[in-house]
């Protein structure tokens, strides 16, 4: 019985090590594409206002021309390639509870994709220009801090 447990534990540890190495390699390659930023991305299809977003995974992203490349996942790394047509509107300050974990005044940018879908990306206020990427004009509305 002990040998079965040892084999099982060894297999789990090996899987975690391999997964961590794959994640490290992907993040290193993502960093070579440009400056990355922490973010959360979600689809706005069927979204109800006021819904809490704390369950969404954090990710790292980088803009390559008009494509947002997003790295998600810890044990099972996943790379999302998000081809963006244009921002739906100007960047905005996040509603309370909309983007938890990105400081006091996080930012949200809604993006219209090439296929017509609508997604939102949230990031910290300090990452404003990285979040805006090639659409810097969308960040103008958030240059003055929101009064609380």
């Amino acid at each position: 019985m002990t040998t079965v447990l040892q084999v099982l534990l060894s297999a789990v540890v090996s899987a975690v090590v391999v997964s961590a190495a794959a994640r490290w390699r992907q993040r290193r390659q993502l960093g070579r594409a440009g400056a990355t930023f922490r973010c959360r991305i979600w689809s706005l299809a069927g979204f109800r206002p006021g819904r809490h977003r704390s369950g969404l995974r954090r990710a790292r992203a980088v803009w390559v021309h008009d494509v947002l490349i997003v790295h998600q996942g810890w044990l099972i790394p996943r790379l999302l390639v998000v081809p963006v047509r244009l921002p739906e509107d100007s960047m905005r300050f996040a509603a309370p509870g909309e983007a938890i974990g990105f400081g006091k005044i996080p930012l949200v940018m809604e993006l219209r994709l090439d296929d017509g879908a609508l997604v939102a990306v949230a990031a910290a206020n300090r990452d404003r220009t990285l979040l805006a990427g090639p659409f810097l004009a969308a960040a103008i509305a958030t240059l003055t801090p929101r009064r609380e």
Side-chain angles (χ1 to χ4, degrees), residues 71-127:
H71 177 262
Q72 287 183 324
W74 190 78
L75 281 178
I76 302 171
R78 195 170 74 169
L79 205 59
L80 300 174
V81 178
V82 184
V84 177
R85 184 182 313 153
L86 55 110
E88 189 66 13
D89 201 358
S90 295
M91 191 180 293
R92 62 178 172 81
F93 296 106
E98 185 178 23
I100 295 172
F102 294 106
K104 288 184 179 181
I105 308 174
L107 299 171
V108 175
M109 192 160 79
E110 295 176 2
L111 303 169
R112 179 69 61 185
L113 305 185
D114 283 349
D115 64 1
L118 189 62
V119 298
V121 182
N125 201 328
R126 69 177 176 274
D127 294 330

Side-chain angles (χ1 to χ4, degrees), residues 6-7 10 17 20 23 31-32 35 39 41 46 57 59 68 75 83 85-86 92 94 96-97 114-116 137 148:
Q6 288 174 339
V7 169
S10 175
V17 168
R23 180 175 188 249
R32 288 182 183 162
C39 68
I41 184 168
R57 290 187 224 155
L68 185 64
L75 281 178
R85 184 182 313 153
L86 55 110
R92 62 178 172 81
D114 283 349
D115 64 1
E148 300 206 32

